[in-house]
Amino acid sequence: MTDPSTPLIAVEHVDKWFGSLHVLRDVNLDVRRGEVVVVVGPSGSGKSTLCRVINRIEPIDSGVIRVDGRPLPAEGRALARLRADVGMVFQQFNLFSHRSILDNVTLGPVKVRGIPREQARRRARELLARVGIADQADKMPAQLSGGQQQRAAIARALAMDPKVLLFDEPTSALDPEMINEVLDVMTTLAGDGMTMVVVTHEMGFARRAADRVVFMADGQLLEQAPPTDFFDHPRTDRARDFLSKVLTH
Amino acid sequence: MNGVDFLADSLPVFWAGFRITVLLALASYAGALILGAVLAVLRISPAAPARAAGLAYVEWFRNVPLLVHLFVAILCLPKLGVRIGPFTAAFLVLAMYTAAQVCEALRSGVNAVPRGQAEAGRALGLTFGQNLRHVILPQAARTVVPPLGSVFIALVKNTAVASLIGVVDLTYQFGELARDEPGQVMTLLVAVAFGYLVMTIPAGYAVARLQRRAAVAR
């Protein structure tokens, strides 16, 4: 499926409950190749869940999700193969705490892609240099700052040569002075044409890097528009209310 | 005969029993580690039938006394046409009984690994087995050393029940010697206790050492 007109990610009529809580309500979203989609919205709006259902880290209750035209398979080898093509960056970094930074980056390429270890290491060092932490390669995750850990996590995701990168609130667990070093890496990736879905509270990043901003509230996808339209002319009351709260300072 | 002379005379008998106890404990522990690891994988498997089978096994062996399991093996297996000696029966029962404890120790270690670690492994495209092997188990290993040590120490003490079905272990020899020389029962008691302590106390220290090593490797 390399037809460039097929959306890389298609979320169709997706519903999800956590117990009695309806966290995703009939959500529809297409992400095209090379597009950067930034998902914003108040806490508890379901935006993080939306990000996590795309590679089935969270299963959905109804609807269809297609990646590169193919519906997500059930848990098993086929799903694992598909996840290899969908990179994910987590709020809490989730670097493998028992492995060095370099080994974090090479694990996927070596075990999933079957790339020879030496080749994977060379590539990992290149990627670590690209995110600005080449000199941290041989340290353990706990020895790095939060910003460095998150950049290492981005390098780990990039090492799989993913078709798309999912970012689940990548800067929400960071001290303020480290947020920009991560956002700068993400902005560069966006400029390089990487397809990205970014859940974030960083409105500056959304304005700067997004092709499209998606606004969610109460599990519903209420608006989607280019950033200038969304920030300057929000159409729904919920979006206006949300923006008035986050853009005042 | 004084206590020292009596002990010196009984030493070969004790030594023979001690060797059987060590053999039984080590063999059962090896079996329990292998079977317990398989059970733990069942209990954390994404497949519901596998989890149910693991749970049923663990509940059965954790909630029925060891001695009952031993009697079940000794009384029921011959009826099914299975003829095994007392040592083999004791080994099988101790290994299967202890496997349930090993399973729970491993499972609690796996559960102590933060959820995000497994999620990151899945997100990379690791299969369930690869994720266990490269991400979860190496981290769980740090926390399972102390409970697995406790399981071993409990197992060494549990081997004593084998004497009831005719395994000539340390406790069996104690019973024999005490029947022959009732006047020396206190001396014998100290000697048999010493026989168990030389296994269990070093095991406790070895666990503490291993645990420190695991902590440094973090």
Side-chain angles (χ1 to χ4, degrees):
Chain A
M1 295 266 185
T2 45
D3 177 4
S5 64
T6 321
L8 192 50
I9 293 170
V11 176
E12 298 165 8
H13 301 293
V14 164
D15 280 87
K16 178 171 179 64
W17 282 264
F18 283 127
S20 61
L21 191 66
H22 201 170
V23 285
L24 293 179
R25 298 168 185 255
D26 192 29
V27 171
N28 292 275
L29 177 71
D30 281 354
V31 180
R32 293 185 299 275
R33 276 156 232 280
E35 196 179 18
V36 176
V37 172
V38 173
V39 185
V40 301
S43 299
S45 59
K47 56 190 192 301
S48 203
T49 306
L50 174 61
C51 187
R52 291 165 57 86
V53 299
I54 291 173
N55 63 352
R56 213 174 184 280
I57 289 289
E58 288 294 349
I60 56 176
D61 293 308
S62 67
V64 183
I65 294 172
R66 294 177 211 277
V67 174
D68 217 356
R70 286 184 312 185
L72 285 186
E75 199 72 41
R77 283 178 184 279
L79 182 63
R81 272 197 297 278
L82 183 138
R83 282 180 179 143
D85 292 332
V86 180
M88 187 157 200
V89 175
F90 299 87
Q91 182 175 350
Q92 299 296 339
F93 332 132
N94 294 348
L95 290 174
F96 304 128
S97 63
H98 62 304
R99 293 176 149 254
S100 70
I101 296 302
L102 192 69
D103 288 347
N104 262 273
V105 181
T106 58
L107 180 68
V110 170
K111 299 298 174 191
V112 178
R113 299 277 195 228
I115 290 171
R117 190 172 299 274
E118 273 315 305
Q119 188 185 334
R121 283 172 170 258
R122 277 198 302 277
R123 169 109 164 99
R125 289 193 187 277
E126 284 168 25
L127 289 167
L128 290 173
R130 193 165 148 196
V131 298
I133 50 168
D135 48 343
Q136 312 292 330
D138 299 315
K139 292 190 182 166
M140 299 302 278
Q143 295 172 285
L144 270 59
S145 72
Q148 291 171 327
Q149 288 192 54
Q150 193 60 300
R151 287 186 280 156
I154 293 172
R156 176 175 69 177
L158 288 173
M160 299 299 287
D161 289 318
K163 293 174 181 167
V164 53
L165 272 182
L166 309 175
F167 292 83
D168 181 10
E169 304 205 22
T171 58
S172 298
L174 293 176
D175 291 334
E177 74 271 22
M178 295 171 184
I179 289 174
N180 280 330
E181 62 189 60
V182 171
L183 291 180
D184 287 348
V185 168
M186 291 167 60
T187 307
T188 308
L189 284 175
D192 291 347
M194 173 62 75
T195 310
M196 294 164 56
V197 175
V198 183
V199 173
T200 187
H201 294 286
E202 295 297 326
M203 297 303 145
F205 173 80
R207 212 182 248 281
R208 188 164 73 239
D211 295 307
R212 184 162 38 125
V213 174
V214 167
F215 175 71
M216 285 187 74
D218 301 326
Q220 286 174 301
L221 201 156
L222 293 183
E223 288 194 37
Q224 38 182 324
T228 46
D229 290 359
F230 174 74
F231 286 110
D232 299 340
H233 309 288
R235 290 191 312 263
T236 59
D237 288 340
R238 289 301 302 267
R240 269 192 290 277
D241 180 52
F242 172 73
L243 287 174
S244 74
K245 282 174 181 151
V246 296
L247 296 179
T248 44
H249 325 282
Chain B
M1 205 182 335
N2 69 34
V4 175
D5 290 342
F6 174 70
L7 271 186
D9 281 359
S10 323
L11 204 58
V13 177
F14 264 125
W15 176 241
F18 178 78
R19 281 182 5 205
I20 295 290
T21 294
V22 170
L23 189 63
L24 185 57
L26 292 181
S28 308
Y29 194 57
L33 285 180
I34 294 165
L35 183 56
V38 172
L39 288 167
V41 171
L42 288 181
R43 288 215 62 187
I44 58 174
S45 155
R51 283 200 303 274
L55 180 67
Y57 181 100
V58 168
E59 294 291 13
W60 170 249
F61 278 97
R62 277 210 312 181
N63 294 302
V64 174
L66 174 59
L67 203 47
V68 173
H69 289 299
L70 206 56
F71 287 152
V72 166
I74 283 299
L75 300 175
C76 298
L77 286 181
K79 287 194 174 156
L80 298 170
V82 183
R83 298 180 58 85
I84 50 174
F87 184 88
T88 312
F91 156 70
L92 287 175
V93 167
L94 282 166
M96 290 173 78
Y97 180 84
T98 308
Q101 336 275 335
V102 168
C103 166
E104 290 307 279
L106 293 178
R107 198 175 64 93
S108 70
V110 166
N111 287 342
V113 177
R115 211 185 136 91
Q117 295 286 310
E119 282 184 357
R122 286 158 68 204
L124 273 183
L126 297 177
T127 60
F128 173 71
Q130 287 177 320
N131 212 4
L132 265 186
R133 182 156 160 238
H134 300 298
V135 178
I136 312 293
L137 292 183
Q139 299 189 61
R142 294 171 186 160
T143 49
V144 299
V145 169
L148 284 184
S150 306
V151 166
F152 177 72
I153 290 166
L155 169 62
V156 168
K157 295 181 288 178
N158 283 341
T159 56
V161 301
S163 64
L164 291 174
I165 59 165
V167 175
V168 189
D169 73 342
L170 196 53
T171 300
Y172 186 94
Q173 303 290 31
F174 162 73
E176 292 289 291
L177 291 166
R179 198 166 46 200
D180 294 347
E181 293 280 347
Q184 299 287 358
V185 71
M186 286 313 290
T187 316
L188 285 168
L189 205 57
V190 171
V192 73
F194 182 77
Y196 284 103
L197 289 174
V198 296
M199 281 183 267
T200 51
I201 289 187
Y205 281 102
V207 166
R209 232 186 121 85
L210 268 175
Q211 197 189 357
R212 276 196 302 276
R213 288 238 314 259
V216 172
R218 185 175 283 259

